[in-house]
Amino acid sequence: MADTRQTTPDARVEDRTRQGDPDRSAAFDDAAIRQARNSAAFWAATADSRGHEVIRRRGFLAVLGGERAGTRVLLQEPDPAAHELAELTELAGRSTGPVDVEDPFSSTDLSHLGMRNWQMPIMVRPPGPVPAPAMEVIRARRTHELRTAEQIVIEGFELTRFTPYRPGEMFPTTLTEQPGVDVFLAVLDGEAVGAGVTAVHDGVGSHYWVGTSSAHRSRGAGRAVMLGSLAPMADLPVTLTASRLGQPLYESLGFAAVTSSTWWSSQ
């Protein structure tokens, strides 16, 4: 999830895997399953760092995050069993906070939960060289760097569920100790202006929470964060789920929209 700000429901994303382009990686053929597995690994790692309960089933993974973080469900198969859908419904019904469900297969109908839905493109970048960013990009390792990244993401994505701000609630200091997880900061004139998170799982990378501070938008911070965080994954296929606003940037970096993901939210 590189950019999760709400988008309105739109037409189906063109499936470029069907265009017969010989230069496209085989990773494009199973983008949905790769994104599903990576998202599950990322959110399980996030849950471990936050001390949240994780429920694993064949058809989905759920993170029970409490009143503020809420419940997040990630579909793992296009055909969850009836009892799994029943359990998913029960988990959503008893959540004390917001509920978000990510379905990269766009195969489920959760309207019975009273949730709104929209579609976002899943994008894939094949392995390849990555240009150097126009500003400094660092890995956030120290506590104050993680706090800065956390505040940029909360502001950039308007995550009101995390207000009033509680340091370390979204990005605990143990987040970057989770296997394959890194947090990045773009720095301009000594000031952090953009942030993002990457996760590598089973030979596939992915981006989450790529955002910029409101005071530094349209200054290349988002591009810098993407380039700086792509560089360590240059030899891997990389996926992300994009908003329509972010899609042109990602396309300019070599990503292509190959299918769509349906998102459901209680808010």
Side-chain angles (χ1 to χ4, degrees):
M1 172 182 57
D3 188 340
T4 58
R5 278 170 283 191
Q6 180 181 351
T7 57
T8 56
D10 47 32
R12 186 187 308 171
V13 176
E14 177 187 4
D15 188 342
R16 300 186 183 182
T17 64
R18 300 176 185 174
Q19 301 302 308
D21 186 341
D23 295 329
R24 293 301 180 190
S25 166
F28 283 65
D29 295 333
D30 55 353
I33 196 71
R34 286 172 178 262
Q35 180 66 15
R37 298 294 186 267
N38 194 285
S39 291
F42 169 70
W43 282 103
T46 301
D48 287 344
S49 70
R50 294 176 180 175
H52 295 164
E53 180 182 358
V54 178
I55 297 175
R56 302 175 189 270
R57 302 290 184 260
R58 183 197 73 92
F60 71 86
L61 179 142
V63 175
L64 310 185
E67 183 176 354
R68 280 168 53 108
T71 296
R72 180 171 290 268
V73 180
L74 303 111
L75 273 295
Q76 296 296 285
E77 300 290 343
D79 58 344
H83 71 274
E84 291 177 322
L85 289 175
E87 183 177 12
L88 190 160
T89 299
E90 190 272 334
L91 289 172
R94 66 180 172 89
S95 176
T96 58
V99 179
D100 300 287
V101 180
E102 180 181 346
D103 178 8
F105 310 100
S106 295
S107 62
T108 55
D109 182 358
L110 303 180
S111 57
H112 64 287
L113 300 179
M115 301 167 70
R116 61 183 178 87
N117 73 88
W118 65 96
Q119 288 192 319
M120 298 169 68
I122 292 177
M123 306 187 75
V124 179
R125 183 186 191 274
V130 178
M135 62 184 72
E136 182 184 12
V137 178
I138 64 171
R139 276 189 171 94
R141 300 188 184 278
R142 293 176 289 184
T143 299
H144 76 274
E145 294 169 340
L146 286 170
R147 296 295 78 79
T148 299
E150 181 177 56
Q151 291 178 76
I152 288 174
V153 169
I154 290 172
E155 178 198 351
F157 285 87
E158 299 178 354
L159 299 177
T160 56
R161 68 181 64 179
F162 289 109
T163 56
Y165 175 60
R166 298 173 185 170
E169 182 179 24
M170 186 175 181
F171 291 171
T173 54
T174 54
L175 178 61
T176 54
E177 298 173 8
Q178 302 298 316
V181 178
D182 280 300
V183 178
F184 291 86
L185 282 171
V187 180
L188 179 65
D189 297 329
E191 182 180 0
V193 295
V197 183
T198 63
V200 174
H201 173 73
D202 196 23
V204 178
S206 197
H207 284 87
Y208 302 89
W209 303 121
V210 177
T212 60
S213 61
S214 58
H216 295 90
R217 287 178 186 154
S218 302
R219 298 181 63 183
R223 178 178 293 275
V225 169
M226 286 296 300
L227 290 173
S229 58
L230 270 173
M233 304 187 294
D235 294 334
L236 302 175
V238 180
T239 70
L240 57 79
T241 304
S243 71
R244 286 297 174 183
L245 291 175
Q247 186 171 349
L249 167 61
Y250 306 133
E251 288 177 337
S252 74
L253 298 175
F255 287 86
V258 295
T259 188
S260 60
S261 178
T262 299
W263 290 63
W264 299 83
S265 178
S266 63
Q267 290 191 337

